[in-house]
Amino acid sequence: MLRPRTGAEKRIYAACDWRQGAGIDTSDHKMIPNFNGPAGFDCMVTKDDSAEEAGYGLIDPAQDGQSLTLFLQSPIYVEGNSPKEESHSMALGKEDRTFALTRTDAKACDRYKPVSEE
């Protein structure tokens, strides 16, 4: 979930997998210039309900398991918070591509859990 300073929250959907050499593409180039770790979670952003690739992210967990760093490429595909909001590629400023995240109480995520509609 990205929360821009202006506008509605945006969601990023991605499939992630732990990999040695995370952040290195098939041509042996760094995808995230400021990530120098040997391994991490490679995350391919997907577009809508398809398997179409629409961006890349990398998750680097801290050794103590208490925090992680999230790196995002720009542009990245985002979806709105409701079906009425348009999905699109969002350009991120240089300061909006790396996030240091710490643990939070699980209750803070309750509002993001899926609900069934009957």
Side-chain angles (χ1 to χ4, degrees):
M1 177 73 63
L2 292 179
R3 186 171 301 162
R5 287 184 186 98
T6 59
E9 294 177 336
K10 306 294 181 192
R11 295 176 188 256
I12 297 173
Y13 293 97
C16 301
D17 196 22
W18 181 261
R19 184 171 76 87
Q20 291 292 326
I24 305 295
D25 67 16
T26 56
S27 298
D28 210 26
H29 296 103
K30 287 178 79 169
M31 297 170 68
I32 305 291
N34 56 339
F35 175 71
N36 297 309
F41 287 97
D42 271 326
C43 301
M44 294 308 301
V45 176
T46 55
K47 191 172 187 176
D48 300 317
D49 291 329
S50 73
E52 182 181 349
E53 294 178 5
Y56 175 78
L58 189 146
I59 299 171
D60 181 26
Q63 292 286 342
D64 65 5
Q66 297 300 306
S67 65
L68 57 84
T69 304
L70 170 65
F71 300 90
L72 297 174
Q73 274 188 333
S74 180
I76 197 154
Y77 190 78
V78 296
E79 296 185 20
N81 224 5
S82 73
K84 294 178 183 178
E85 292 181 59
E86 187 176 312
S87 301
H88 62 280
S89 286
M90 175 186 273
L92 301 174
K94 194 171 191 164
E95 68 282 356
D96 297 324
R97 297 180 193 173
T98 304
F99 300 89
L101 305 173
T102 56
R103 285 192 180 269
T104 188
D105 189 309
K107 291 179 182 180
C109 299
D110 285 348
R111 73 185 196 120
Y112 299 110
K113 291 182 180 176
V115 294
S116 61
E117 295 179 18
E118 294 185 37

